[in-house]
Amino acid sequence: MTTELELLDWKRTIFELYADVRASIDPRAAWDRWRSVRDELFRAHPQSPLPDAQRGSFKGLRYFEYDPEFRVTARVEQADPAHYEISTSGDSAYAFTRFAIARFELLGESRHLEAYWLDGYGGGLFLPFRDTTAGSQTYGAGRYMLDTVKGSDLGGTDGELVLDFNFSYNPSCAYDPRWVCPLAPPPNRLSLDIRAGERHES
């Protein structure tokens, strides 16, 4: 029971953090707070993705500098449902359904990402991506931006989603293989450098 209550505390903290992010009128200030809270969770929380041996020497997660050009509003268009068994860092796959396409302008070009809904109990929006920094400056299997099951929700209204790549982060399996994480599927691989969000140099 102790582990489950620790996980509940982690999730509560993340949900409250993203509520503060959505309520902020200053995205940069919200990003600074987001980084600070994440660092403290990684350093001291029992459910930290970091192996125990690394927590004592942990000096903070690494990020690109905040760049407002990587904050966009995406128009969400309904898509024909398509079932995916999305590969994970382990031996199993997770079941998701593509339900929409998020379309947006980024660095002067039209882009899009597929939006997935978790097929498990309660569901939840999942939006991973991989870009051309993967494997060098960022985690090779991609990063997450939205994962509402775990509280990662940047907001949006009237058929739109806020996509701020500065808030993109590594899945837990980037720190320790004991965690099993869904990876960014081929439709969500962007052919440009996203020098925003969390880093993970190899």
Side-chain angles (χ1 to χ4, degrees), residues 178-200:
R178 70 189 172 97
W179 300 94
V180 176
C181 309
L183 310 177
N188 277 18
R189 296 177 183 174
L190 297 171
S191 58
L192 78 161
D193 287 354
I194 303 289
R195 292 192 176 92
E198 191 174 352
R199 304 176 69 123
H200 189 82

Side-chain angles (χ1 to χ4, degrees), residues 69-97:
E69 285 196 298
F70 285 102
R71 181 181 176 89
V72 300
T73 300
R75 183 179 72 258
V76 181
E77 299 179 352
Q78 185 174 359
D80 292 333
H83 180 77
Y84 285 78
E85 293 288 335
I86 293 183
S87 298
T88 71
S89 56
D91 297 328
S92 59
Y94 287 170
F96 291 86
T97 296

Side-chain angles (χ1 to χ4, degrees), residues 130-182:
R130 185 178 188 272
D131 66 282
T132 51
T133 67
S136 56
Q137 295 175 291
T138 63
Y139 186 53
R143 293 178 283 169
Y144 298 170
M145 190 181 326
L146 305 179
D147 185 0
T148 63
V149 172
K150 296 181 179 178
S152 308
D153 178 5
L154 297 171
T157 57
D158 299 326
E160 296 181 334
L161 286 171
V162 173
L163 303 183
D164 191 334
F165 289 90
N166 295 285
F167 287 84
S168 59
Y169 61 95
N170 295 329
S172 297
C173 54
Y175 313 103
D176 190 333
R178 70 189 172 97
W179 300 94
V180 176
C181 309

Side-chain angles (χ1 to χ4, degrees), residues 10-189:
W10 174 284
K11 294 184 74 170
R12 281 175 175 161
T13 302
I14 294 296
F15 272 86
E16 291 168 1
L17 173 61
Y18 275 87
D20 290 345
V21 167
R22 291 191 299 274
S24 177
I25 61 173
D26 184 343
R28 172 59 192 263
W31 181 73
D32 287 336
R33 171 164 165 70
W34 177 77
R35 290 189 306 149
S36 176
V37 172
R38 294 190 76 225
D39 278 350
E40 184 57 29
L41 287 171
F42 272 68
R43 178 182 299 107
H45 198 280
Q47 286 293 309
S48 171
L50 291 176
D52 290 343
Q54 295 181 17
R55 296 180 193 178
S57 60
F58 177 69
K59 300 188 186 313
L61 299 168
R62 294 172 295 172
Y63 299 87
F64 294 97
E65 288 297 318
Y66 188 89
D67 186 342
E69 285 196 298
F70 285 102
R71 181 181 176 89
V72 300
T73 300
R75 183 179 72 258
V76 181
E77 299 179 352
Q78 185 174 359
D80 292 333
H83 180 77
Y84 285 78
E85 293 288 335
I86 293 183
S87 298
T88 71
S89 56
D91 297 328
S92 59
Y94 287 170
F96 291 86
T97 296
R98 182 201 64 197
F99 73 98
I101 305 293
R103 300 189 183 278
F104 53 95
E105 295 286 325
L106 183 63
L107 302 182
E109 293 191 29
S110 297
R111 307 282 179 179
H112 70 272
L113 292 168
E114 292 190 346
Y116 305 104
W117 194 258
L118 178 65
D119 290 346
Y121 175 77
L125 170 63
F126 179 53
L127 203 155
F129 72 95
R130 185 178 188 272
D131 66 282
T132 51
T133 67
S136 56
Q137 295 175 291
T138 63
Y139 186 53
R143 293 178 283 169
Y144 298 170
M145 190 181 326
L146 305 179
D147 185 0
T148 63
V149 172
K150 296 181 179 178
S152 308
D153 178 5
L154 297 171
T157 57
D158 299 326
E160 296 181 334
L161 286 171
V162 173
L163 303 183
D164 191 334
F165 289 90
N166 295 285
F167 287 84
S168 59
Y169 61 95
N170 295 329
S172 297
C173 54
Y175 313 103
D176 190 333
R178 70 189 172 97
W179 300 94
V180 176
C181 309
L183 310 177
N188 277 18
R189 296 177 183 174

